């Protein structure tokens, strides 16, 4: 069954001076999606405030989460969520986890591990805390709970190249499975890691900064030695062959201009094609 595309041009999870480009990127991708299968979540213009949580723009992030929850309730099968910043995965994973209780693994394809809490975050940006919140650890309102959360033992982080010390300590302490780029040339290690979780369904979070910037320009931050698009689509194909696809996020597209967006969209459409064909 074809997915419902849910476009969420949220930028407030990032504190980069270029964060608004993430909203532009979501809008650019939306232009190539089938209109009849696409829903757009309204994201407030205002940045929002922290409300003493230690999370920048917390009030707006909470509002967008609630709006996403409402939109996703009407999605009967799986959703392909298009961000915006990677914080859009919070509500999207919660929806998938409720559909597949205790049978969902997450593959976190991202240059960042996103394992901070407000207490450890050096920036206070929610995009550095998303995966920890998905596991149910963090601030009330954004940390998932009950059947909507996915514990860290069912998470596989793949392609991360910017991991802070607090995150590295947590990975070691909790035994979180982390596969570097050099282990992803073949999908075998990734498929085996997901299989080891015991889950029959997988949620794919794809922040486009997992890609190597030499072949993809529209990134908020540039981290060299990432994946190629062909390698990424090969991983997607292998995972789909072995597991049920419960949902997907594509986030982190931050083109500097409409012309730059046009240059990168064919690569994004190749990724979407691997997810939906």
């Amino acid at each position: 069954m074809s997915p419902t595309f849910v476009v969420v041009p949220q930028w407030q999870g990032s504190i980069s001076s270029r964060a608004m480009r993430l909203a532009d990127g979501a809008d650019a991708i939306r232009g190539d999606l089938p209109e009849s299968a696409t829903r757009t979540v309204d994201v407030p213009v205002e940045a929002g405030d922290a409300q003493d949580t230690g999370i920048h723009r917390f009030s707006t992030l909470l509002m967008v989460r609630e709006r996403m929850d409402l939109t996703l309730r009407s999605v009967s099968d799986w959703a392909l969520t298009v961000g915006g910043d990677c914080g859009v995965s919070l509500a999207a994973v919660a929806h998938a986890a409720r559909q597949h209780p205790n049978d969902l693994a997450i593959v976190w394809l991202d240059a960042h591990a996103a394992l901070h809490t407000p207490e450890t975050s050096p920036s206070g940006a929610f995009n550095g805390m998303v995966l920890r919140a998905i596991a149910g650890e963090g601030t009330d309102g954004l940390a998932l709970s009950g059947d909507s959360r996915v514990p860290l033992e069912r998470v596989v982080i793949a392609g991360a190249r910017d991991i802070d010390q607090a995150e590295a300590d947590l990975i070691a302490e909790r035994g979180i499975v982390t596969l570097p780029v050099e282990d992803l040339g073949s999908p075998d290690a990734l498929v085996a890691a997901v299989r080891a979780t015991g889950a029959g369904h997988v949620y794919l979070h794809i922040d486009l900064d997992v890609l190597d910037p030499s072949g993809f320009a529209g990134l908020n931050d540039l981290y060299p030695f990432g994946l190629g698009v062909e390698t990424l689509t090969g991983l997607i194909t292998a995972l789909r062959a072995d597991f049920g696809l419960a949902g997907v996020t594509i986030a982190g597209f931050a083109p500097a201009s409409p012309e730059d967006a046009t240059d990168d969209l064919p690569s994004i459409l190749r990724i979407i094609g691997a997810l939906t064909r």
Side-chain angles (χ1 to χ4, degrees):
M1 186 173 178
S2 298
T4 299
F5 297 93
V6 178
V7 179
V8 192
Q10 173 181 289
W11 56 273
Q12 288 91 341
S14 170
I15 61 166
S16 167
S17 60
R18 302 182 298 277
M20 287 296 295
R21 293 181 184 177
L22 294 163
D24 295 337
D27 288 337
I29 297 171
R30 177 174 53 190
D32 279 320
L33 300 177
E35 185 174 352
S36 61
T38 301
R39 302 171 192 178
T40 301
V41 174
D42 184 34
V43 174
V45 175
E46 61 268 25
D49 55 64
Q51 297 186 346
D52 297 321
T53 63
I55 301 174
H56 289 298
R57 303 164 179 161
F58 172 84
S59 60
T60 297
L61 294 168
L62 183 59
M63 185 184 302
V64 175
R65 178 195 170 178
E66 292 167 350
R67 291 178 179 180
M68 281 190 69
D69 282 338
L70 186 61
T71 298
L72 288 163
R73 279 181 211 159
S74 64
V75 176
S76 58
D77 197 60
W78 67 279
L80 196 162
T81 299
V82 175
D85 67 70
C86 67
V88 301
S89 276
L90 183 77
V93 169
H95 171 72
R98 288 191 295 266
Q99 289 186 316
H100 304 282
N102 301 312
D103 189 43
L104 184 68
I106 296 174
V107 173
W108 191 263
L109 287 150
D110 199 314
H112 307 89
L115 287 170
H116 282 292
T117 63
E119 291 72 32
T120 66
S121 171
S123 68
F126 184 61
N127 64 357
M129 310 180 202
V130 187
L131 186 52
R132 193 77 175 272
I134 285 170
E137 303 173 22
T139 299
D140 288 346
L142 293 182
L144 300 183
S145 60
D147 288 342
S148 68
R149 64 180 287 272
V150 180
L152 292 174
E153 56 263 31
R154 283 194 266 123
V155 169
V156 179
I157 298 171
R161 309 185 298 289
D162 185 35
I163 297 176
D164 293 332
Q165 187 59 53
E167 294 174 308
D169 291 344
L170 183 76
I171 287 168
E173 176 188 337
R174 305 278 283 274
I176 302 168
V177 177
T178 307
L179 299 176
V181 169
E182 52 266 30
D183 287 355
L184 300 174
S186 158
D188 294 349
L190 182 57
V191 169
V194 176
R195 194 177 291 131
T197 69
H201 292 83
V202 64
Y203 190 98
L204 300 183
H205 165 93
I206 303 169
D207 189 314
L208 292 169
D209 65 14
V210 77
L211 297 172
D212 192 274
S214 66
F216 193 93
L219 300 172
N220 217 21
D221 298 295
L222 305 181
Y223 298 96
F225 311 117
L227 298 177
V229 172
E230 185 174 352
T231 300
L232 177 56
T233 58
L235 296 173
I236 291 167
T237 300
L239 289 168
R240 290 188 66 199
D242 272 45
F243 306 97
L245 189 58
V248 178
T249 294
I250 295 177
F253 185 36
S257 68
E259 293 73 23
D260 288 336
T262 300
D263 290 341
D264 285 327
L265 280 170
S267 293
I268 296 173
L269 294 176
R270 282 180 62 193
I271 295 166
I272 292 174
L275 292 161
T276 58
R277 61 172 172 258

